[in-house]
């Protein structure tokens, strides 16, 4: 997923800004794995092989997502990830 595309995304439920946590990128800086999270409704949307999974809750399989999210959470806790806030279509790094 390209950064330019991520700038256009918002939470599909409440239209709030999203926070991007990057797990892995390719050579062209496309995001391969990461998390988009909404601070308003606390929903988390994984990015898997460059595709954000932003389905309604009733169509998501949280049991399948849980192992991946737990692994990524460990990576983010060790500060290997990069946190970026998407505000009105602009990316800002969170310190």
């Amino acid at each position: 997923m390209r950064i330019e595309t991520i700038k256009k995304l918002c939470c599909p439920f409440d239209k709030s800004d999203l926070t991007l946590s990057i797990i892995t990128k390719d050579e062209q800086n496309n995001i391969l794995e990461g998390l988009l999270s909404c601070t308003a409704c606390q929903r988390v949307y994984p990015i898997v092989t460059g595709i954000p999974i932003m389905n309604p809750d009733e169509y998501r399989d949280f049991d399948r997502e849980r192992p991946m999210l737990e692994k990524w959470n460990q990576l983010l806790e060790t500060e290997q990830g990069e946190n970026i806030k998407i505000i009105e279509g602009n990316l800002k790094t969170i310190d």
Side-chain angles (χ1 to χ4, degrees):
M1 168 169 273
R2 297 183 327 200
I3 293 289
E4 295 81 26
T5 305
I6 289 176
K7 290 180 183 180
K8 299 176 184 179
L9 297 178
C10 66
C11 179
F13 293 93
D14 57 24
K15 309 301 184 237
S16 294
D17 294 328
L18 296 171
T19 299
L20 170 65
S21 299
I22 299 171
I23 306 295
T24 58
K25 294 191 247 182
D26 65 11
E27 299 82 31
Q28 292 84 30
N29 277 337
N30 293 319
I31 298 166
L32 299 177
E33 295 179 318
L35 295 171
L36 292 166
S37 57
C38 177
T39 54
C41 69
Q42 305 300 313
R43 285 185 171 87
V44 175
Y45 309 104
I47 300 172
V48 181
T49 61
I51 301 168
I53 310 300
M54 300 178 84
N55 295 335
D57 294 343
E58 60 267 16
Y59 296 115
R60 291 176 68 180
D61 187 351
F62 292 105
D63 289 333
R64 287 188 132 171
E65 291 179 17
R66 187 171 295 115
M68 174 183 53
L69 295 174
E70 288 172 355
K71 176 184 134 190
W72 288 355
N73 192 41
Q74 290 173 354
L75 287 173
L76 292 171
E77 286 176 356
T78 59
E79 298 184 24
Q80 292 180 16
E82 180 179 354
N83 290 317
I84 298 171
K85 182 83 172 172
I86 305 166
I87 302 172
E88 296 176 5
N90 298 310
L91 299 177
K92 299 185 192 288
T93 303
I94 300 173
D95 297 325

